[in-house]
Amino acid sequence: MGSPNNKPARIFSPHNHTSPPCTRTHQIGALLLIATTFFLTRLFDQAFPTGPPSSLNNDHPSPNVVHVSDGGSLSWPQRGYGSHLSLKIYVYEEDEIDGLKELLRGRDGKISADACLKGQWGTQVKIHGLLLESRFRTRKKEEADLFFVPAYVKCVRMMGGLNDKEINHTYVKVLSQMPYFRRSGGRDHIFVFPSGAGAHLFRSWATYINRSIILTPEADRTDKKDTSAFNTWKDIIIPGNVEDGMTKRRVAMVQPLPLSKRKYLANYLGRAQGKVGRLKLIELAKQYPDKLESPELKFSGPGKFGRMEYFQHLRNAKFCLAPRGESSWTLRFYESFFVECVPVILSDQAEFPFQNVIDYTQISIKWPSTRIGLELLEYLESIPDENIEQMIAAGRQIRCLWVYAPEFESCSAMQGIMWELQRKLRQFHQSAETFWLHNRTIVDRRLVEFSSWVPPMPLP
């Protein structure tokens, strides 16, 4: 054992005794070496990035890239969406649940899907049909991430197939027969409401589907109690249903005109409906008929445009004005991209689809609805044609996201909807009437196992 006076050995480099003293010259040299190394490292990183490939790099496309028109591309951000689409959706069959057929065909079963395919209502039919053919469809409820409830209630109601009271009663009857709806409180179920009325077509929506995912073009529709049926965190804004004859590339029923051949600076083609903004535009057109075309269209008679005539007029202006009507959204916004006029949004509460990938400032103008007047026309007139062409070109690239096309298309509204649905996925769902035990068994309030739940069931 060593003496208490022994000091611990000091560790030195074997050549420490030969090291020269550190001079100012050495210090300056070291700093220069560090700066040079930092500069070369940054240069190397920029030349050979180590992060995920850019969405514009077509040699190594990321799975979350959607290739849009004219060779461009958009990519859904991986945060919250994932790097590729991976979801399974169960689509309820119309004959598997008592009442579902009535929501699709009316009380007498006489309303066809084809009859409901056009106009605002068409998205209910198109989304249903595309999901039936989708690679993301599963026929096994137990493996589904989401459940789609098909219904054409807007069309059925307008065609006299069901009245409001019958729609409400039938929806409740249908939901009470869905064990998976009750298990999650409806959180993993999808409903489409394609018109300005939104989910209010189902009067008791706030009681039964206020937790479900609602697909709708309308983000601000409220009822007489000032209750909105749209929730930013769970619901999804979808594009309106543009006339099929206009969405076909190179064979559209009406082709755009060169800017130099357009007769008007701007137009608004729609019915007044007693709405302040629309009435202002109609009056403004009377004062400045050489700049603004705005005939007050009618449901029938001499003031009614046929579809071909409507689009021929729409293409004859540089700017297509889109004021609000009964609600904030308007199909005119989407239609404008296919006649290649710049949409001017005159609806303060309007919201639009796929805002995580589309910069709407590049493809449209939003103007305060409270400032509709000569000031608006003077502003639009001040915009150079070069800028208008740039906005039209940008809109031409992304308009494929407004088209309800099959999955083999490289860009479509359904691709965008699928990405947004994937963001809503949860690994776990619960409801106020769902419970679980230590062995992971899901039970109801009576402690009956989920597999033994028998419809009709009390709804959450």
Side-chain angles (χ1 to χ4, degrees), residues 186-207:
R187 288 173 173 83
D188 51 7
H189 281 56
I190 306 165
F191 298 82
V192 182
F193 292 99
S195 70
H200 294 286
L201 281 171
F202 174 19
R203 288 181 175 179
S204 297
W205 71 267
T207 301

Side-chain angles (χ1 to χ4, degrees), residues 25-79:
T25 302
H26 289 97
Q27 293 174 344
I28 294 173
L31 289 173
L32 288 173
L33 179 61
I34 291 170
T36 303
T37 302
F38 176 78
F39 174 77
L40 290 174
T41 301
R42 291 294 300 273
L43 190 64
F44 181 85
D45 286 344
Q46 291 177 11
F48 305 98
T50 57
S54 166
S55 63
L56 297 178
N57 184 353
N58 292 326
D59 295 332
H60 304 284
S62 175
N64 63 341
V65 169
V66 172
H67 295 285
V68 296
S69 306
D70 302 327
S73 62
L74 294 170
S75 62
W76 263 257
Q78 290 195 20
R79 181 179 296 176

Side-chain angles (χ1 to χ4, degrees), residues 107-122:
R107 70 179 76 84
D108 300 323
K110 295 181 178 179
I111 298 174
S112 69
D114 288 344
C116 296
L117 195 56
K118 295 184 178 181
Q120 292 184 16
W121 319 331

Side-chain angles (χ1 to χ4, degrees), residues 17 28 70 309 360 388 427:
H17 64 283
I28 294 173
D70 302 327
E309 187 181 8
Y360 282 88
I388 298 172
Q427 182 178 353

Side-chain angles (χ1 to χ4, degrees), residues 50-277:
T50 57
S54 166
S55 63
L56 297 178
N57 184 353
N58 292 326
D59 295 332
H60 304 284
S62 175
N64 63 341
V65 169
V66 172
H67 295 285
V68 296
S69 306
D70 302 327
S73 62
L74 294 170
S75 62
W76 263 257
Q78 290 195 20
R79 181 179 296 176
Y81 291 92
S83 61
H84 63 283
L85 284 172
S86 176
L87 70 168
K88 295 180 179 180
I89 301 175
Y90 181 84
V91 181
Y92 286 102
E93 298 281 358
E94 63 180 66
D95 293 324
E96 76 174 279
I97 295 175
D98 184 25
L100 191 55
K101 193 168 186 175
E102 283 84 341
L103 294 177
L104 290 160
R105 315 292 176 193
R107 70 179 76 84
D108 300 323
K110 295 181 178 179
I111 298 174
S112 69
D114 288 344
C116 296
L117 195 56
K118 295 184 178 181
Q120 292 184 16
W121 319 331
T123 50
Q124 282 189 319
V125 182
K126 289 182 176 179
I127 292 173
H128 180 204
L130 291 167
L131 283 177
L132 289 174
E133 301 297 324
S134 174
R135 70 184 187 276
F136 301 110
R137 181 189 180 190
T138 178
R139 297 179 184 271
K140 298 178 181 179
K141 292 190 181 80
E142 62 273 15
E143 71 175 17
D145 300 306
L146 298 167
F147 298 79
F148 181 79
V149 183
Y152 307 157
V153 288
K154 175 65 176 179
C155 174
V156 166
R157 178 181 178 273
M158 297 299 289
M159 297 184 71
L162 292 174
N163 60 37
D164 289 346
K165 186 176 181 180
E166 289 172 325
I167 288 172
N168 202 74
H169 171 77
T170 307
Y171 258 123
V172 174
K173 181 172 72 170
V174 165
L175 298 179
S176 71
Q177 298 173 70
M178 295 177 171
Y180 282 89
F181 182 87
R182 187 173 189 271
R183 183 186 69 166
S184 68
R187 288 173 173 83
D188 51 7
H189 281 56
I190 306 165
F191 298 82
V192 182
F193 292 99
S195 70
H200 294 286
L201 281 171
F202 174 19
R203 288 181 175 179
S204 297
W205 71 267
T207 301
Y208 298 107
I209 63 170
N210 65 327
R211 303 170 191 86
S212 301
I213 299 170
I214 295 173
L215 308 185
T216 175
E218 183 59 75
D220 83 322
R221 183 64 168 174
T222 56
D223 60 15
K224 294 179 181 178
K225 298 178 182 178
D226 201 31
T227 302
S228 175
F230 186 88
N231 183 316
T232 300
W233 303 109
K234 68 178 183 66
D235 300 329
I236 296 171
I237 302 171
I238 61 174
N241 181 39
V242 179
E243 175 79 28
D244 288 343
M246 288 301 298
T247 60
K248 297 175 182 177
R249 295 188 64 185
R250 299 186 182 89
V251 292
M253 64 183 188
V254 173
Q255 294 293 327
L257 291 173
L259 286 187
S260 60
K261 293 187 177 181
R262 301 189 189 188
K263 182 177 179 180
Y264 298 101
L265 172 67
N267 63 32
Y268 162 62
L269 305 178
R271 293 178 289 274
Q273 296 180 302
K275 304 304 175 184
V276 174

Side-chain angles (χ1 to χ4, degrees), residues 43 85 88 135 256 277 320 347 365 374 376 396 416 428 437 450:
L43 190 64
L85 284 172
K88 295 180 179 180
R135 70 184 187 276
C320 291
S347 179
I365 294 169
L374 178 59
L376 169 61
R396 191 183 298 125
F428 186 77
L437 307 181
F450 173 70

